[in-house]
Amino acid sequence: MMVNVLLYASLFLPWLTLFFASKETIRRYMPVTIFTAFLMTIIFQIAYTYKWWTIHEYIVPWGYMIDVSFAYGIFSVGTFWIFKLTSNKFLLYIVVNFILDFIMCFIALPTLKKLGISEYNQISSWQYLLVTFGLSFVIYVYHKWQEKIFISD
């Protein structure tokens, strides 16, 4: 029961933080937030196919394939706030992403294993760090491209 509360909180509470952002900020960073959720969906599908990890506890019927709480909650909204707080400061963006990805890979995911939520199988913490950190560059390029579209409007 407590695990489900944690999973639901991880999905919904991050979205409540958007009440602290202006409409313009949401309009500016929501495309990269949605793109991040899309990419995480793809990564989770690859991970399921190659058995990178196993998800034991989930809140949706397809949760054994994708951790909805993480992909559509903490990670997506976290991306929103990282872009908001590091706007146009690439080096700061990279440092913040690396630190948060490191915490995720070496602290949060091992904690999820202890809670019986999920565990690594065919991928190491370092390999997953490379995946998530590499993803941050793809997301950054997308955001820069997206900003050019908004500027031309």
Side-chain angles (χ1 to χ4, degrees), residues 10-11 14-15 18 29-30 32-41 68-83 139:
S10 297
L11 176 60
W15 288 100
L18 296 184
Y29 298 114
M30 193 51 63
V32 75
T33 302
I34 294 167
F35 182 66
T36 299
F38 172 70
L39 290 180
M40 285 307 296
T41 302
V68 172
S69 302
F70 176 70
Y72 306 137
I74 293 172
F75 198 84
S76 294
V77 178
T79 298
F80 174 91
W81 286 108
I82 289 169
F83 273 98
I139 294 168

Side-chain angles (χ1 to χ4, degrees), residues 20-35:
F20 298 105
S22 69
K23 287 182 181 181
E24 184 58 35
T25 300
I26 291 171
R27 182 180 171 271
R28 181 176 180 192
Y29 298 114
M30 193 51 63
V32 75
T33 302
I34 294 167
F35 182 66

